Amino acid sequence: MLISGQIERIAQMSSRLVKKIFRQVRDANLRYHMAEDGDRIAVAMSGGKDSYTMLHFLQLLIKHTPLRFELLPVYLDLAGIMI
């Protein structure tokens, strides 16, 4: 059973990790110009944690930077398809 101090430390670690990953996403975008004002970006969603995480950080990029672009989540169901 977690006590309140442990819960607070976990929340702080989680917050620090989100900030660290956000800074990395922001810096990569600044360096490589992956998303710019007016862009429409299709985000492939498979339903997994990685695609939801990518969508989340792209939404944070819109919220916390002056960039204004549109995200279009697209669900891809690759079940049964051999590539």
Side-chain angles (χ1 to χ4, degrees):
M1 177 181 239
L2 294 174
I3 58 173
S4 66
Q6 290 173 316
I7 293 171
E8 289 174 22
R9 281 195 299 276
I10 291 169
Q12 288 173 349
M13 287 188 306
S14 176
S15 176
R16 284 193 304 264
L17 181 60
V18 168
K19 288 177 184 177
K20 179 181 178 178
I21 294 170
F22 173 75
R23 282 192 300 270
Q24 292 173 341
V25 170
R26 182 200 59 207
D27 293 348
N29 188 61
L30 288 171
R31 181 175 295 131
Y32 300 111
H33 305 283
M34 296 180 290
E36 296 180 333
D37 279 332
D39 283 353
R40 295 180 74 200
I41 301 172
V43 181
M45 303 296 295
S46 65
K49 295 179 223 174
D50 54 343
S51 57
Y52 280 103
T53 300
M54 179 177 58
L55 181 62
H56 174 73
F57 282 102
L58 288 172
Q59 289 171 331
L60 287 178
L61 199 60
I62 292 171
K63 183 177 180 181
H64 296 290
T65 67
L67 291 174
R68 293 297 164 248
F69 55 90
E70 185 177 354
L71 296 174
L72 305 167
V74 178
Y75 177 70
L76 295 177
D77 183 7
L78 298 177
I81 297 176
M82 299 296 283
I83 299 177

